[in-house]
Amino acid sequence: MTNTDRPAKSTFEGFTDEERAAMKDHAKELKASARRGSRADKAAEEEAAVVAKIAEMQDSDRVMAERIHAIVKASAPGLAPKLWYGMPAYARDGKVVCFFQSAEKFKARFATLGFSDQAHLDEGTMWPTSYALTQLTAANEEMIATLVKNAAH
């Protein structure tokens, strides 16, 4: 068998279509970020990109993402909205602190609110870094606001 007879080996072998799409989204985000002008322009464009991404989501995910966006902005105004692997995320000094992953994105049965290692949620020797969301109640929103406030400090 010659090289031309062998099927091309994917550099993404082992990743799902959704994971490959997320990686492509992230590459686009990095390129777009490098092209942006002033810091204020960049912040406005990144927030607009987050709002546009949320608007593209299916109804149940979109409703939750809109509420989480509002909660994060109110609870931690120092966090900057940005896209991260095609997901709405919120960063401090350019590093993602928390993000919303729609159920649709990875064909999961629930959406997720996740926190990176940049989040200040440390409590003892073990603590949660992501939360499954099926709906947002007033109690959920209050908990999210508290988590985001703590994570952002």
Side-chain angles (χ1 to χ4, degrees), residues 2 8 11 19 21 29 31 49 59 71 79 83 88 91 108 128 134 138 140-142 148 150:
T2 67
T11 57
E19 290 167 332
E29 293 155 12
K31 286 178 187 175
D59 288 346
I71 292 166
L79 293 182
L83 288 178
T134 57
N140 296 143
E141 290 186 12
E142 190 174 315
V148 169
N150 293 341

Side-chain angles (χ1 to χ4, degrees), residues 44-132:
E45 286 180 27
E46 289 192 356
E47 179 157 12
V50 166
V51 170
K53 183 60 77 173
I54 291 169
E56 293 172 4
M57 293 178 184
Q58 289 183 348
D59 288 346
S60 60
D61 285 335
R62 183 183 39 74
V63 169
M64 281 193 284
E66 288 170 345
R67 285 299 306 137
I68 287 173
H69 183 71
I71 292 166
V72 172
K73 287 185 59 99
S75 302
L79 293 182
K82 68 183 282 175
L83 288 178
W84 185 62
Y85 292 95
M87 297 178 281
Y90 305 87
R92 178 181 53 243
D93 300 325
K95 296 186 184 212
V96 170
V97 173
C98 60
F99 59 91
F100 176 80
Q101 180 180 305
S102 70
E104 177 189 18
K105 184 161 185 74
F106 292 102
K107 297 179 180 162
R109 65 184 180 96
F110 49 79
T112 305
L113 175 65
F115 294 89
S116 76
D117 62 339
Q118 298 298 310
H120 297 153
L121 296 176
D122 306 35
E123 188 176 306
T125 58
M126 188 171 114
W127 57 89
T129 58
S130 66
Y131 296 82

